């Protein structure tokens, strides 16, 4: 946002040969799919409104012309409310795109055309893409887009971008587009409103990218950003404008937004008369039936359990953390690769100290790479496949509404279900996604819960494997986490200042995901994940190696022994906790090692697993927390989480000793 | 018949004493208007009350008139609170002045606008008028919040009532605009509604701001 001015300054310096096309439109209408099709690059596509929180840029060559393609976050109106919408509008305000593609959902033509009107009214070079035609036709809707083109006076193209339909037409329309800023199509409001607009627009003398007509309307809607822009451009003349706006706003007090929306609705009604016909009877598709099942508590909760059982437990747990880890870690690394690489390194490097760095107990290759590739990779990969698949079906918004009531008690809304579920994959990624929550209060609460109680998939996989031999231990571990999630959530909702949040969410239709899209999405997520974790694993190996050769490591373990003893753990577990500081999953993997050596009993394993799950988030998550929430909040959460982790470990140990539950 | 304000107040006091407190008469001393006030003469002149041994009693016609007077008073209180947002003493004060304007059919209009309320802000019953009985007979729910709809019920959006501009704009962006058709798909655990071909989920805080007509 602060870059707005920067962008503006660099715009004139852009290469004159490169033209720009910006994609705008409501959330979840397929802008990103179109972006990918035009540029051949990849941005995350999903069946979840608000997936693109940032602007993506790519290049496309259309008819030998070079174009810059800009994908924007979804916006409902030119008068923006949320952060994402502001980001999207920045592009229109400052970047002078040569073509603006307004992408909308054919089924909701009537509702979404209001924004097309706003874009045309702003004097922007608009092409309308009526997308998702395939699903609309399946519902029995018919369109006369030629008639719509005549009435709007801009190119209108029917498309189904996920099925590659309409792409060629869009490309030719972009190239052939001739903008005539002198004679924009005009859609008149009521006489009274026109009068008000003209009064304000007539006072403006500055140069603007958007039309004065559009700016006048935004001023009357009390849009702060536009008011600031006009104040800058108009200088001394602004006082008169502000006075006029104040006067009109006062006369129309109470209902200006509504009046304007109603007037636009009327214009749209006339525009689509004869353009759009819907069948007499609503066609109920199988997807709608499934949708109904998923949102009723009676059928929705069993469905959720089925999804969790097969997706998370069977696919990620059994297959990913079991079968795949066994093949990669045990057979490939321990059985074949490690002995071989150890031999090779020992042959090339004569000094034992350096050998240790690469292939020793904490060696970069034998420990760092083995953990990352052998244990973490298969678990995280299977989780991301599961998550991406579910995301594309459109299940998450339904889950969100199902849990909204419960989440409200924790000071969150159902919307927070996405970061929470994603947290089971990677807490770091999930902490980034908390950005999509509306208030700072929700973001902080979600961040605390993520860093404390949600184990990431790698950790989860390892801990499941660790405790699976003791079903009782697994139950104690699960109960502890759930209990803390609820208690901390309830407390946070009471302690944190701020208003109770509100929940609203569009429910996209349920779809059968396209496998290619699921795989590409998994791939991009994996790529991000690996670039982020691998350096940390290597760094951790180096630090551990340094600690070992300097003797610092041994001292640290000795220093931590009383702490470990107080929660009833053998001193060797200190190693796992030191690992855990780098990444929680790294730490869990360390525990796994101790367990295979037979150093711990069920009680100790449970206490260690609970403490480690609650323990400070990994370094990466901490850094993201700092970036998203600032030092103070991140530091506070860090201290709170560490204290609570060891505190809970202590209490749990005493409890288990007293009740002899696991012995 | 147009009574003076004072006469109307005496009728109200008498009606409350007789109908709600179970007394048989009203003692003018307790009322604050001395027994020689011309208002009593006005009431006896219209044969609404009679005065025996210094105490005020209803005549049958007066009982009906008193009921309608109290109805106007309590409707005025509701109007002050629900629509003008005047609460507490300020609201009661204004209601006392306002009630005297609610005759000649104005009370029916106000009652319909308020969707035939059954109680005043203090929780006392508002005696129903003919308009209330008619509405009940026709099963006309009038304009209700979306939260009062049953799952599957369809209606037309009448208006959005919220002070929060952002809420208003969010709802409008979802296509919640007066005049649009709306179907309530589900009401628990969250409200799901359909406008056009889109479905949205909202919580009860937002749902209660949407007013719909069947």
């Amino acid at each position: 946002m602060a870059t707005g001015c920067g962008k503006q300054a660099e715009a004139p310096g852009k290469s004159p040969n490169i033209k720009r096309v910006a994609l705008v439109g409501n959330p979840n209408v397929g802008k990103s799919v179109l972006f990918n099709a035009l540029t051949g690059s990849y941005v995350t596509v999903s069946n979840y409104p608000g997936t693109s929180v940032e602007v993506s840029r790519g290049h496309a060559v259309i008819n030998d012309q070079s174009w810059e393609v800009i994908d924007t976050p979804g916006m409902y109106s030119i008068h923006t409310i949320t952060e994402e919408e502001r980001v999207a509008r920045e592009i229109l305000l400052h970047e002078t795109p040569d073509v603006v593609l307004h992408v909308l959902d054919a089924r909701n033509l009537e509702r979404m055309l209001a924004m097309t009107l706003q874009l045309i009214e702003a004097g922007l070079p608009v092409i309308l893409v009526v997308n998702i035609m395939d699903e609309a036709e399946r519902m029995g809707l018919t369109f006369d887009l030629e008639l719509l083109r005549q009435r709007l006076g801009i190119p209108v193209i029917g498309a189904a971008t996920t099925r590659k339909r309409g792409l060629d037409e869009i490309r030719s329309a972009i190239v052939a587009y001739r903008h005539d800023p002198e004679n924009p199509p005009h859609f008149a409001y009521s006489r009274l409103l026109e009068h008000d607009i003209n009064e304000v627009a007539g006072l403006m003398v500055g140069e603007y990218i958007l039309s004065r007509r559009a700016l006048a309307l935004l001023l009357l809607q009390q849009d702060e950003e536009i008011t600031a822009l006009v104040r800058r451009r108009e200088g001394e003349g602004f006082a008169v404008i502000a006075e006029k706006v104040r006067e009109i706003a006062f006369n129309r007090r109470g209902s200006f937004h509504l009046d304007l929306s109603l007037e636009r609705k009327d214009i749209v009604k006339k525009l689509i008369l004869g353009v759009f016909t819907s069948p007499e009877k609503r066609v109920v598709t199988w997807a709608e039936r499934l949708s109904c099942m998923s949102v009723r508590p009676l059928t929705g909760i069993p469905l959720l359990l089925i999804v969790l059982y097969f997706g998370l437990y069977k696919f990620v747990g059994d297959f990913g953390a079991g079968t795949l880890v066994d093949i990669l870690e045990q057979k490939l690394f321990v059985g074949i690769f490690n002995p071989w690489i150890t031999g090779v390194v020992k042959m090339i490097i004569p000094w034992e100290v350096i050998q240790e760095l690469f292939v020793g107990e904490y060696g970069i290759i034998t420990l760092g790479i083995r953990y990352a590739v052998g244990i973490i990779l298969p678990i995280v990969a299977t989780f991301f496949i599961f998550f991406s698949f579910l995301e594309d079906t459109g299940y998450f918004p339904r889950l969100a509404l199902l849990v909204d009531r419960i989440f409200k008690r924790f000071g969150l809304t159902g919307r927070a279900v996405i970061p929470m579920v994603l947290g089971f994959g990677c807490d770091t990624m999930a902490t980034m996604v908390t950005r999509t929550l509306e208030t700072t209060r929700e973001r902080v609460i979600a961040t605390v819960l993520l860093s404390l109680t949600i184990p990431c998939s790698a950790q989860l996989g390892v801990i499941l494997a660790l405790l699976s031999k003791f079903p009782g231990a697994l139950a104690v571990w699960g109960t502890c986490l759930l209990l803390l999630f609820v208690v901390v959530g309830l407390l946070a909702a009471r302690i944190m200042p701020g208003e109770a949040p509100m929940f609203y969410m569009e429910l996209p239709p349920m779809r059968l995901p396209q496998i290619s899209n699921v795989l590409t999405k998994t791939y991009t997520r994996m790529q991000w994940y690996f670039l982020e974790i691998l350096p940390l694993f290597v760094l951790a190996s180096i630090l551990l190696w340094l600690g070992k050769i300097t003797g610092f490591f041994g001292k640290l373990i000795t220093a931590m022994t009383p702490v470990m003893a107080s929660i009833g753990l053998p001193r060797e577990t200190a190693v796992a906790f030191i690992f855990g500081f780098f990444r929680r999953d790294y730490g869990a993997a360390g525990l796994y090692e101790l367990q295979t050596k037979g150093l711990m009993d069920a009680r100790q394993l449970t206490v260690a697993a609970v403490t480690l799950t609650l323990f400070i988030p990994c370094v990466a998550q901490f850094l993201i927390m700092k970036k998203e929430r600032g030092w103070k909040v991140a530091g506070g959460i860090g201290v709170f989480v560490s204290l609570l982790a060891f505190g809970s470990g202590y209490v749990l140990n005493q409890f288990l000793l007293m009740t002899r539950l696991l012995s | 018949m147009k009574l003076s304000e004072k006469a109307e107040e005496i009728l109200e006091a008498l009606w409350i004493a007789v109908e709600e407190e179970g007394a048989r008469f009203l003692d003018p001393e307790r009322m604050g208007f001395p027994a020689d006030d011309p208002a009593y003469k006005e009431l006896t002149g219209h044969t609404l009350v009679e005065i025996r041994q210094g105490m005020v009693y209803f005549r049958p016609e007066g009982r009906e008139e008193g009921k309608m007077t109290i109805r106007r008073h309590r409707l005025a209180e509701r109007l002050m609170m629900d629509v003008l947002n005047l609460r507490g003493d300020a609201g009661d004060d204004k209601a006392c002045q306002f009630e005297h304007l609610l005759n000649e059919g104005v009370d029916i209009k106000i009652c319909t606008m308020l969707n035939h309320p059954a109680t005043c802000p203090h929780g006392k019953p508002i005696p129903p008028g003919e308009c209330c009985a008619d509405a009940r007979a026709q099963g006309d729910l009038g304009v209700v919040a979306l939260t009062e709809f049953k799952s599957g019920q369809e209606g037309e959006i009448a208006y959005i009532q919220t002070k929060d501009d952002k809420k208003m704009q969010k709802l409008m962006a979802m296509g919640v605009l007066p005049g649009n058709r709306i179907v309530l798909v589900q009401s628990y655990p969250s409200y799901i509604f359909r406008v056009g071909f889109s479905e949205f989920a909202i919580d009860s805080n937002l749902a209660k701001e949407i007013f719909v007509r069947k």
Side-chain angles (χ1 to χ4, degrees):
Chain A
M1 302 307 298
T3 60
C5 300
K7 273 182 201 155
Q8 203 184 345
E10 76 184 32
K14 70 173 179 177
S15 155
N17 300 330
I18 295 199
K19 294 182 144 196
R20 291 160 188 241
V21 49
L23 306 178
V24 299
N26 276 45
N28 212 33
V29 293
K31 293 183 293 297
S32 297
V33 176
L34 184 55
F35 175 86
N36 292 342
L38 289 175
T39 60
S41 58
Y42 185 81
V43 295
T44 309
V45 174
S46 66
N47 190 11
Y48 186 78
T51 326
S52 311
V53 277
E54 276 162 352
V55 174
S56 317
R57 289 160 194 274
H59 271 273
V61 175
I62 309 171
N63 276 19
D64 300 328
Q65 277 180 0
S66 195
W67 285 78
E68 183 182 8
V69 188
I70 309 169
D71 184 25
T72 64
M75 61 197 282
Y76 281 105
S77 158
I78 258 196
H79 176 56
T80 55
I81 309 175
T82 63
E83 192 69 15
E84 293 111 84
E85 288 182 311
R86 267 191 284 277
V87 173
R89 194 175 66 177
E90 283 288 310
I91 304 288
L92 301 179
L93 277 180
H94 299 303
E95 298 219 9
T96 48
D98 296 279
V99 173
V100 173
L101 285 183
H102 181 211
V103 187
L104 53 70
D105 178 346
R107 290 161 306 180
N108 296 301
L109 187 66
E110 184 170 349
R111 175 160 62 90
M112 296 182 178
L113 261 181
M115 194 166 108
T116 318
L117 290 184
Q118 295 177 41
L119 295 169
I120 296 175
E121 178 179 272
L124 292 165
V126 190
I127 294 177
L128 180 62
V129 177
V130 181
N131 202 8
I132 322 187
M133 287 289 275
D134 51 340
E135 287 186 25
E137 282 162 1
R138 224 174 297 146
M139 293 172 86
L141 307 179
T142 55
F143 298 88
D144 184 348
L145 296 181
E146 176 55 28
L147 186 62
L148 186 63
R149 189 190 65 73
Q150 286 167 15
R151 287 192 187 152
L152 283 174
I154 58 163
V156 175
I157 298 155
T161 45
T162 50
R163 306 263 174 271
K164 311 256 180 287
R165 186 172 136 193
L167 291 178
D168 289 333
E169 288 92 327
I170 292 171
R171 286 198 190 93
S172 4
I174 294 174
V175 176
Y177 195 80
R178 295 287 168 270
H179 186 40
D180 181 9
E182 300 306 312
N183 288 311
H186 187 81
F187 305 99
Y189 295 111
S190 67
R191 212 164 41 85
L192 199 64
L193 184 55
E194 285 291 333
H195 174 77
D196 289 345
I197 295 170
N198 289 336
E199 289 242 292
V200 176
L203 293 170
M204 291 158 72
V205 290
E207 285 292 318
Y208 298 95
I209 291 173
L210 300 191
S211 75
R212 290 187 190 143
R213 187 177 160 78
L215 291 174
L217 275 171
L218 288 167
L219 284 177
L220 289 173
Q221 289 176 84
Q222 317 280 346
D223 189 299
E224 284 167 24
E225 223 181 330
I226 297 298
T227 309
L229 175 85
V230 174
R231 181 181 292 132
R232 277 201 305 276
R233 292 288 155 85
E234 297 291 336
E236 290 178 2
F238 180 72
V240 187
I241 299 176
E243 180 53 32
K244 180 54 77 188
V245 168
R246 207 189 53 76
E247 182 192 319
I248 297 173
F250 181 75
N251 286 337
R252 290 177 159 274
R253 63 183 171 273
S255 64
F256 186 75
H257 293 292
L258 187 63
D259 291 349
L260 184 60
S261 298
L262 285 174
E263 293 218 8
R264 285 192 176 130
K265 188 186 134 191
D266 279 346
I267 297 175
V268 168
K269 264 231 158 78
K270 282 185 205 123
L271 276 173
I272 63 161
L273 200 72
V275 166
F276 175 80
T277 47
S278 53
E280 289 288 301
K281 251 190 102 181
R282 254 188 87 79
V283 183
V284 180
T285 57
W286 64 267
E288 278 180 59
R289 277 193 209 107
L290 186 63
S291 166
C292 270
M293 272 182 65
S294 68
V295 294
R296 287 203 186 112
L298 213 61
T299 44
I301 292 168
L303 190 71
L304 173 65
L305 293 178
I306 291 173
V307 166
L308 288 181
Y309 178 76
F310 283 102
L312 215 52
Y313 189 76
K314 279 288 175 201
F315 183 63
V316 182
D318 263 13
F319 178 68
T323 318
L324 288 183
V325 169
D326 200 45
I327 294 174
L328 278 172
E329 206 257 349
Q330 286 301 325
K331 302 225 161 66
L332 199 70
F333 272 91
V334 178
I336 306 170
F337 183 73
N338 279 2
W340 172 78
I341 194 79
T342 310
V344 172
V345 169
K346 286 199 168 152
M347 222 163 62
I348 308 172
I349 302 167
W351 307 281
E352 204 189 312
V353 179
I354 307 293
Q355 283 174 9
E356 282 276 301
L357 173 61
F358 290 100
V359 295
E361 193 181 355
Y362 306 119
I364 294 173
I365 300 173
T366 45
L367 185 84
I369 307 278
R370 172 163 67 94
Y371 275 11
V373 179
I375 301 181
I376 311 301
L377 174 84
I379 300 176
V380 174
T382 43
F383 179 84
F384 282 148
I385 291 177
F386 162 72
F387 186 85
S388 308
F389 181 87
L390 220 53
E391 190 181 9
D392 279 12
T393 59
Y395 180 63
F396 284 139
R398 290 167 172 84
L399 185 58
L401 78 89
L402 206 58
V403 300
D404 180 58
R405 259 170 209 270
I406 302 165
F407 272 36
K408 283 266 169 64
R409 292 176 183 265
F410 306 145
L412 298 168
T413 67
R415 214 166 256 270
V417 85
I418 301 303
M420 290 301 159
V421 177
L422 188 58
F424 284 105
C426 170
D427 281 312
T428 310
M429 210 180 259
T431 307
M432 270 165 69
V433 172
T434 55
R435 218 185 287 171
T436 55
L437 304 180
E438 287 210 350
T439 60
T440 321
R441 180 171 183 262
E442 286 171 82
R443 291 177 195 171
V444 172
I445 295 178
T447 309
V448 170
L449 289 175
L450 278 172
S451 59
L452 188 67
T453 55
I454 307 281
C456 66
S457 62
Q459 208 184 6
L460 196 64
V462 177
I463 284 175
L464 285 182
L466 204 63
L467 301 182
S468 57
K469 294 184 192 76
F470 317 98
L474 203 57
V476 170
W477 175 81
T479 316
C480 280
L481 290 190
L482 194 66
L483 197 71
L484 275 165
F485 183 90
V486 172
V487 170
V488 172
L490 288 176
L491 280 178
R494 284 175 177 249
I495 295 168
M496 282 286 295
E499 281 176 63
M502 60 176 158
F503 174 71
Y504 65 96
M505 187 163 242
E506 182 162 358
L507 300 183
M510 295 279 259
R511 294 179 182 138
L512 196 65
Q514 285 179 301
I515 298 304
S516 61
N517 192 29
V518 170
L519 290 180
T520 350
K521 196 147 52 174
T522 308
Y523 174 74
T524 37
R525 286 199 167 118
M526 291 301 301
Q527 203 179 14
W528 176 89
Y529 187 78
F530 255 76
L531 290 178
E532 189 244 337
I533 66 154
L534 207 58
L536 277 171
F537 273 38
V538 171
L539 181 74
S541 291
I542 296 173
L543 287 179
L544 290 171
W545 167 78
L546 270 177
K548 194 182 173 196
I549 58 167
T550 55
F552 176 73
F553 195 42
K555 283 196 191 111
L556 195 62
I557 292 179
T558 315
M560 280 179 74
T561 308
V563 182
M564 292 297 129
S566 74
I567 58 175
L569 297 181
R571 71 191 300 262
E572 287 81 0
T573 33
V575 183
F577 280 86
I578 296 168
F579 284 0
F581 177 71
F582 293 98
R583 292 191 56 92
R584 288 200 285 192
D585 43 10
Y586 207 173
L591 279 188
Y592 187 71
E593 193 116 327
L594 287 175
Q595 193 251 351
T596 28
K597 285 182 193 156
L599 280 171
M600 297 164 90
D601 61 25
R603 173 181 54 84
Q604 290 175 320
L605 269 178
T606 318
V607 173
V610 168
T611 313
L612 202 69
T613 316
L614 297 174
F615 194 43
I616 6 172
C618 66
V619 174
Q621 193 189 343
F622 189 76
L623 292 177
I624 293 289
M625 258 161 65
K626 190 216 90 194
K627 195 176 138 209
E628 300 276 325
R629 301 287 103 80
W631 269 118
K632 250 166 71 188
V633 176
I637 295 177
V639 171
F640 168 72
V641 166
S642 312
L643 289 178
L644 196 63
F646 282 102
S648 311
Y650 179 80
V651 172
L652 179 64
N653 186 46
Q654 296 300 324
F655 175 76
L656 291 178
L657 280 176
M658 244 159 50
T659 54
R660 300 177 171 277
L661 199 62
L662 290 175
S663 42
Chain B
M1 167 176 50
K2 178 108 172 71
L3 294 171
S4 69
E5 293 188 9
K6 231 180 220 173
E8 289 199 330
E9 259 146 60
I10 294 170
L11 267 187
E12 281 172 32
L14 178 57
W15 195 84
I16 292 173
V18 172
E19 296 289 323
E20 288 180 353
E21 288 162 6
R24 287 182 42 240
F25 52 81
L26 179 75
D27 182 352
E29 295 301 316
R30 282 180 49 218
M31 172 66 206
F33 297 135
D36 54 358
D37 197 289
Y40 292 106
K41 209 153 236 141
E42 187 185 344
L43 288 170
T44 44
H46 282 105
T47 61
L48 296 173
V49 302
E50 55 189 1
I51 298 179
R52 287 179 297 197
Q53 284 109 37
M55 297 298 154
V56 189
Y57 291 83
F58 264 134
R59 291 178 61 91
E61 301 87 342
R63 198 176 292 259
E64 189 55 27
E65 188 60 29
K67 184 171 125 188
M68 293 327 274
T69 319
I70 208 82
R71 170 176 152 78
R72 291 197 291 269
H73 175 74
R74 288 179 182 168
L75 277 176
E77 286 182 331
R78 270 242 90 91
L79 183 74
M80 291 303 139
M81 189 173 92
D82 292 2
V83 180
L84 305 182
N85 201 19
L86 289 171
R87 282 154 206 272
D89 288 346
D92 290 352
D93 243 30
K94 289 281 170 235
C96 283
Q97 297 170 29
F98 205 81
E99 59 174 288
H100 305 298
L101 304 175
L102 298 188
N103 38 30
E104 290 158 0
V106 178
D107 57 333
I108 295 174
K109 295 223 157 117
I110 300 260
C111 188
T112 310
M113 180 176 101
L114 296 173
N115 203 8
H116 312 291
T119 55
C120 77
H122 309 94
K124 299 227 178 107
I126 300 177
E130 277 171 29
C131 61
C132 306
D134 287 351
R136 183 181 300 236
Q138 285 167 16
D140 175 11
L141 286 178
V143 173
V144 294
L146 188 63
T147 47
E148 305 306 308
F149 260 32
K150 287 195 191 73
S151 300
Q153 205 171 354
E154 185 175 347
E156 188 188 283
I157 298 161
Y159 55 89
I160 309 170
Q161 189 177 55
T162 173
K163 285 199 204 71
D164 185 343
D165 247 11
K166 288 215 162 108
K167 270 191 194 172
M168 178 78 138
Q169 285 170 42
K170 271 186 188 130
L171 288 170
M172 291 192 313
M174 294 181 217
V176 177
L177 283 172
N180 280 354
R181 304 293 299 171
I182 187 169
V183 183
L184 186 70
V185 180
Q186 183 179 320
S187 57
Y188 189 86
S190 299
Y191 291 89
I192 303 177
F193 66 82
R194 181 164 54 226
V195 171
F197 288 88
S198 299
E199 286 186 359
F200 294 91
I202 52 175
D203 58 17
S204 52
N205 278 331
L206 275 170
K208 69 174 189 233
E209 322 258 22
I210 305 174
F211 285 81
V212 279
R213 189 179 291 126
K214 219 169 126 181

